Structures are given as structure tokens and as C-alpha cells.
Amino acid sequence: MVKVYTIASGKGGTGKTTVSVNLGTMLAQLGKETCLMDADIGMANVGLILGMQDVPVTLHEVLAGTAEIVEATYSGPAGLKVIPSGISLQGFQQADPEKIRDVMGELVKKFEFLLIDAPAGISRDGVVPLAVADEVILVVNPELSSIVDALKTKILTEVVGGHVLGCIINRVDQEKTDVITKKMEKVLGVPVIGIIPEDTNTRRASSAKVPIVIKFPSSPASLAIKRIAADLAGVKMAEEKASPTAKEGFVDRFTRVLFKKKEKQ
């Protein structure tokens, strides 16, 4: 039976989409039939992260009624199936977010796991993914603004009849995990299901448009994501030791700087 998880955050910039992409990739690596759908039809990023920004058909066309969901489904890393949203303003204007329910009705027949990358913040477009999922997973940073906004998202999820499974704390100083976990659980009132440490390899993988769990599988962030995925899949994993963070070479630095310049243009 398919399990549907919506990955949400209260604010932008928490690393939610990066977590969604890597979690989906890891579930696929564990042998689970997994699909990742970008439900952020206004500010889509899944396609950008995976280098799929130029695909001919996206969720926009499906929600506009001009394409079938199979046409907007692409093969991603490790066999992950990806349904990106488009990046055009016209496509956003034509898309009807209410049709996500119909799309999900087709997808749940085909996969073991369906991950929905929800829009950040509280908006009309973001309500449907919170309501239709079996469970919602919050991605939050260990800072006050992120925690407060995540709490708002949790409350909204409960108002629309959804359920929050727990939260993933992203970009954490590894020396403060115990203290942060206790504070987060107390404030949000949900369990912490995973902690992803700050990892410079995350940026390097992003610049290469490759999930960190594939490009740097033994990095601290990759191993953390692997543990979360294994828990969700009910798979026992042998404990692995993280390898030292690789030093950034000239090519990596050049790629990172070039990538940042393109983003600003």
C-alpha cells in the first residue's frame, strides 16, 4: 500500500526541496518504488535541482488539463520517478492546484512511496498538499524564525485535517544535537525523526545537480538522510561512519562561483 508524505516547511530557505530530492532518491536506492512530485507550482525548484528545468511537460500542464500525468513523469536518480512543476508564470496562472487530488488518485496506484514537495509558507496552493497526505514531515532549521513558521504550518495542517509525523532538523551543528532536539520537540510538539548536519558537500552536490546521497554517499548529511529513509521504509541499516568532509578543489570552487553568478543574473 502506498504511503504519501508531504514535505513542508514554514518558510523558504530551510533546504526542504533538497531534503525531498535526497530522501526520495534514497528510498529509491533502498529498492522502493518512489515518486517525488513538486507541488510548489509557483516557485518550483525540484526540476532546477535535478537539471530538469527544460522538460517539455510538467505538472503545470497536467493541472491545466492539457496533459496526462504520465507525460509529466520522468526518470530521476537511482530510479526515482520525478514530476517537476514548470517555472513559467503563464503555466502557474493556468494550473489549478485543486486538481492535485485527482493526480494523486492516479499515482497511488503505481508506487510504494509518494513524496510531495509542498510550497513554503501558508498559502492556498500549500493547503491541498497538507490535507491530502497520509502524514506531513516538517523541515526546520535550528533558528527562531524557522521554528515559529514551522509551528504555524503544523497548526494549519491540523486545521485542514492532516497529521504531522514529525520534523527533520536541517543544517545542524553536530555538537548541539541533543539540546536542539529537546527544544524542537518541546516547541513543535512533534518528534524529531531526523537530524541532518551542516555539510559543505551539500552545496557541491547541488552545484553539480546531483543528489548528495549519490555524489557523496558517505558524507555526514548523506548518512543522516539514509537513516531517515530507512526508518520510513522499515528497513534495518548497518551503522556507517561518516567520511571526513572532502576539501573543495579548484574545479569545485570555480563551478560554485559560476553557479552563483548565474543564479544572480
Side-chain angles (χ1 to χ4, degrees):
M1 184 177 178
V2 68
K3 193 73 175 179
V4 182
Y5 293 103
T6 288
I7 315 298
S9 65
K11 65 188 289 288
T14 63
K16 169 184 60 66
T17 299
T18 298
V19 170
S20 297
V21 167
N22 280 280
L23 190 56
T25 301
M26 197 65 245
L27 284 167
Q29 279 194 326
L30 292 173
K32 304 299 180 181
E33 291 290 332
T34 307
C35 179
L36 170 62
M37 180 172 71
D38 189 350
D40 191 347
I41 61 175
M43 300 291 285
N45 282 310
V46 168
L48 294 174
I49 288 177
L50 291 173
M52 295 182 178
Q53 64 272 15
D54 296 322
V55 295
V57 181
T58 72
L59 186 62
H60 277 177
E61 286 70 42
V62 177
L63 298 182
T66 61
E68 299 296 324
I69 190 62
V70 67
E71 299 175 75
T73 305
Y74 301 87
S75 293
L80 172 70
K81 297 301 180 183
V82 181
I83 303 172
S85 270
I87 57 177
S88 73
L89 180 59
Q90 182 180 7
F92 165 67
Q93 291 173 326
Q94 295 173 346
D96 179 4
E98 290 294 333
K99 290 185 178 179
I100 287 179
R101 298 175 187 270
D102 299 327
V103 170
M104 285 184 55
E106 296 182 47
L107 294 175
V108 294
K109 304 171 186 176
K110 304 176 182 179
F111 300 99
E112 294 176 82
F113 286 90
L114 172 59
L115 303 185
I116 303 174
D117 187 50
I122 298 174
S123 65
R124 173 176 169 269
D125 297 343
V127 169
V128 176
L130 297 177
V132 298
D134 294 319
E135 294 180 299
V136 173
I137 297 173
L138 300 172
V139 177
V140 58
N141 297 146
E143 55 188 50
L144 184 59
S145 61
S146 178
I147 297 169
V148 170
D149 287 344
L151 181 58
K152 294 177 185 176
T153 303
K154 180 211 171 192
I155 293 171
L156 176 61
T157 300
E158 294 170 345
V159 167
V160 299
H163 176 261
V164 176
L165 173 67
C167 70
I168 295 173
I169 315 176
N170 193 29
R171 298 173 182 157
V172 178
D173 184 331
Q174 296 187 65
E175 296 179 359
K176 303 176 180 178
T177 55
D178 291 339
V179 174
I180 290 172
T181 297
K182 290 178 181 178
K183 287 184 177 179
M184 200 70 71
E185 291 182 337
K186 182 177 180 180
V187 174
L188 294 181
V190 297
V192 172
I193 63 172
I195 295 177
I196 303 175
E198 187 72 68
D199 189 340
T200 57
N201 286 315
T202 302
R203 183 185 66 247
R204 298 174 66 200
S206 178
S207 296
K209 297 188 183 300
V210 178
I212 188 173
V213 295
I214 289 181
K215 191 163 183 64
F216 303 106
S218 297
S219 68
S222 290
L223 295 184
I225 293 167
K226 188 173 184 178
R227 286 190 287 269
I228 298 169
D231 286 343
L232 292 179
V235 176
K236 277 196 171 184
M237 303 297 298
E239 192 64 30
E240 298 179 51
K241 188 175 181 180
S243 63
T245 301
K247 290 185 177 180
E248 188 175 43
F250 169 76
V251 174
D252 292 310
R253 289 196 301 273
F254 179 77
T255 302
R256 172 169 56 83
V257 172
L258 184 64
F259 184 72
K260 281 188 175 181
K261 284 183 178 179
K262 284 185 177 181
E263 281 185 331
K264 292 177 181 178
Q265 291 175 354

